[in-house]
Amino acid sequence: MTHNDRHPHLAHLLVDEDNPTRTHLHPCDGSAAHQPPLGEDQVRVHISKLVVTANTVTYALAGKHALLRYFDHFAVPEGAPPGLAMSPCWGHGVVVDSTTESVPIGTRLHGYYPFSPTVALSLKPASSTSFVDTTPRREELLAPYKVYWTDEDPLWKGQSYDDEDYTLSTGFLFGTGWAMAQTAAIHPAKPTALLLTSASSRTSRAAAFAAKFHNLPFKVLGLTSESRVDYVKGLGFYDQVQAYGHESALPQGTVVVQDVAGSARVLERIYAHFGDGIVSCGAVGLSHAGAAGQQPNLTGLGGVRQTPFLVFTANEAVQKYYGKAESNKLLDEGKAAFNAEMRPRFRAQRSYGPEALQDVFERTAKGELDATVTYVCSTWPEHLHNPRVVAPGAAAAAAATASKL
């Protein structure tokens, strides 16, 4: 394929396997003529929108993690330079070709996508309104990342164009934050405080809100950058907020740390201050992308050492403690209240084309973007990003009906 054959506005966004905040645009053609034929029970999805957050960057930074294996979800396109990986992102898409009656052309799907114009998925029904991708390369990967929901699913039914971006960027993360708070509440050491790093992040905001909403028996402490202290205080979710570098101003006590920042230097200061008061420390995220890969020196600082926080494992522990029905009830009540609080504050900034997507991803990794804004991107130009298509049979039926009028 020559350069002139490619759509001038389309490209895949790839990341460096060993330094995932470095990106590369690999040109591609989005036209139907240049797409490989679909196999049995496959769909081709036009990826219309991708919601880029600090959580998105964490997927890239943890792409080669032995359990998470985020880089294994989607293949690097043919002809791409070596040493690059396809990192995933939550987003929305429209089925533009299908070989399965279960998922007709025109179906809108919400789920996990590559930074690409299109993707082929092998979908099998998981429920009447959701599907699971059975592509062989994803067979052994974590199940929650392989599910795709239609507009008829209760989570998505009746949502507007803006609603669906709020759900993926903020509402979708509430369950993780809720589990972060609840695992602190059920900890046998009965901590006096929950400390959240990257306190302005969506995940930490959710955890702080959940702790207050459920009146959990500890203070909620937050650490954030100097420029975001006022914003975080203004949320009203935290009992005390300090800027990084001022960890020693936090009240001493028995504390559960949920570390969303992933900074070795910040963690060293936390351990130096709280020492043996740290009864649990979860590695949740890597919002401080520039610190990724650095190991903290905690020698002689006391406290329980950090372990990975996995929301699936945390939810199992919470359900075992409360019982599944009560746990789900608490989660649903908290989520409804959180959405009522946060949805009116939602602001989206939309960007189109691969260069704009690349800029948003790289600036997110550098922590340069506004924490109060959700950045929604597409590899497509604006006029092509959200296709209006219907199944051929539906179009024929509509035409036949029109001819009788």
Side-chain angles (χ1 to χ4, degrees):
M1 186 188 304
T2 67
H3 177 75
N4 291 335
D5 289 328
R6 295 189 176 101
H7 192 295
H9 301 296
L10 297 183
H12 306 277
L13 177 69
L14 305 174
V15 301
D16 188 317
E17 280 189 333
D18 298 319
N19 186 6
T21 59
R22 295 179 57 186
T23 62
H24 171 88
L25 293 179
H26 182 65
C28 66
D29 192 304
S31 64
H34 289 90
Q35 300 292 328
L38 294 176
E40 185 178 356
D41 292 328
Q42 282 196 314
V43 298
R44 179 166 291 110
V45 181
H46 173 117
I47 302 167
S48 56
K49 296 186 292 180
L50 296 164
V51 179
V52 181
T53 67
N55 197 48
T56 310
V57 177
T58 294
Y59 293 141
L61 294 169
K64 298 199 301 186
H65 188 282
L67 173 62
L68 303 174
R69 296 172 58 187
Y70 293 126
F71 287 161
D72 291 346
H73 279 274
F74 303 104
V76 174
E78 186 176 348
L84 299 177
M86 179 66 79
S87 194
C89 183
W90 293 103
H92 317 278
V94 179
V95 175
V96 292
D97 195 7
S98 175
T99 60
T100 172
E101 294 182 359
S102 298
V103 194
I105 290 172
T107 302
R108 192 165 184 80
L109 293 174
H110 314 276
Y112 220 39
Y113 289 112
F115 286 104
S116 296
T118 64
V119 66
L121 304 173
S122 299
L123 297 184
K124 297 289 186 183
S127 72
S128 61
T129 57
S130 65
F131 299 85
V132 61
D133 183 20
T134 61
T135 300
R137 69 175 291 114
R138 302 178 78 180
E139 182 177 0
E140 297 180 357
L141 302 181
L142 292 172
Y145 297 110
K146 298 185 289 185
V147 178
Y148 295 83
W149 299 270
T150 74
D151 279 343
E152 294 303 308
D153 189 85
L155 178 64
W156 300 99
K157 193 174 181 64
Q159 292 205 0
S160 69
Y161 186 83
D162 283 343
D163 288 340
E164 62 185 16
D165 296 331
Y166 166 80
T167 296
L168 278 192
S169 66
T170 306
F172 213 55
L173 293 176
F174 179 77
T176 300
W178 183 85
M180 288 160 58
Q182 290 291 349
T183 50
I186 66 175
H187 195 283
K190 299 188 182 304
T192 59
L194 168 64
L195 173 59
L196 301 165
T197 66
S198 194
S200 69
S201 70
R202 290 167 172 83
T203 311
S204 289
R205 279 183 264 165
F209 179 91
K212 289 302 176 187
F213 177 77
H214 291 298
N215 296 312
L216 299 183
F218 47 68
K219 291 188 178 298
V220 182
L221 312 177
L223 285 171
T224 189
S225 61
E226 190 76 51
S227 63
R228 293 177 177 171
V229 168
D230 289 343
Y231 165 71
V232 175
K233 287 181 177 179
L235 291 170
F237 304 163
Y238 292 84
D239 293 296
Q240 187 171 336
V241 180
Q242 293 292 339
Y244 297 118
H246 297 274
E247 289 81 1
S248 61
L250 295 170
Q252 294 274 359
T254 305
V255 62
V256 168
V257 180
Q258 298 289 19
D259 181 24
V260 181
S263 166
R265 304 291 83 82
V266 170
L267 208 58
E268 288 170 0
R269 293 194 295 267
I270 290 172
Y271 272 84
H273 178 60
F274 288 101
D276 287 332
I278 298 175
V279 296
S280 177
C281 182
V284 182
L286 295 164
S287 67
H288 289 195
Q294 299 175 6
Q295 296 301 313
N297 179 6
L298 305 179
T299 304
L301 297 183
V304 175
R305 290 300 179 256
Q306 188 178 61
T307 56
F309 177 87
L310 298 176
V311 65
F312 321 116
T313 304
N315 279 332
E316 289 176 0
V318 175
Q319 290 182 357
K320 183 177 180 180
Y321 184 87
Y322 289 116
K324 188 172 182 179
E326 179 65 15
S327 177
N328 289 340
K329 177 176 177 288
L330 291 171
L331 175 58
D332 289 344
E333 290 173 350
K335 184 186 296 183
F338 180 73
N339 289 339
E341 175 79 22
M342 299 304 297
R343 178 63 183 89
R345 308 186 193 196
F346 176 73
R347 291 191 297 139
Q349 180 171 312
R350 305 188 182 281
S351 301
Y352 303 93
E355 291 80 11
L357 168 61
Q358 182 180 42
D359 179 66
V360 168
F361 182 92
E362 292 184 348
R363 292 178 66 200
T364 300
K366 294 174 183 176
E368 295 178 351
L369 297 181
D370 188 341
T372 69
V373 173
T374 294
Y375 295 86
V376 184
C377 304
S378 179
T379 60
W380 294 88
E382 183 173 5
H383 68 288
L384 296 176
H385 86 282
N386 200 33
R388 305 295 183 184
V389 294
V390 294
T401 300
S403 69
K404 298 176 182 178
L405 299 179

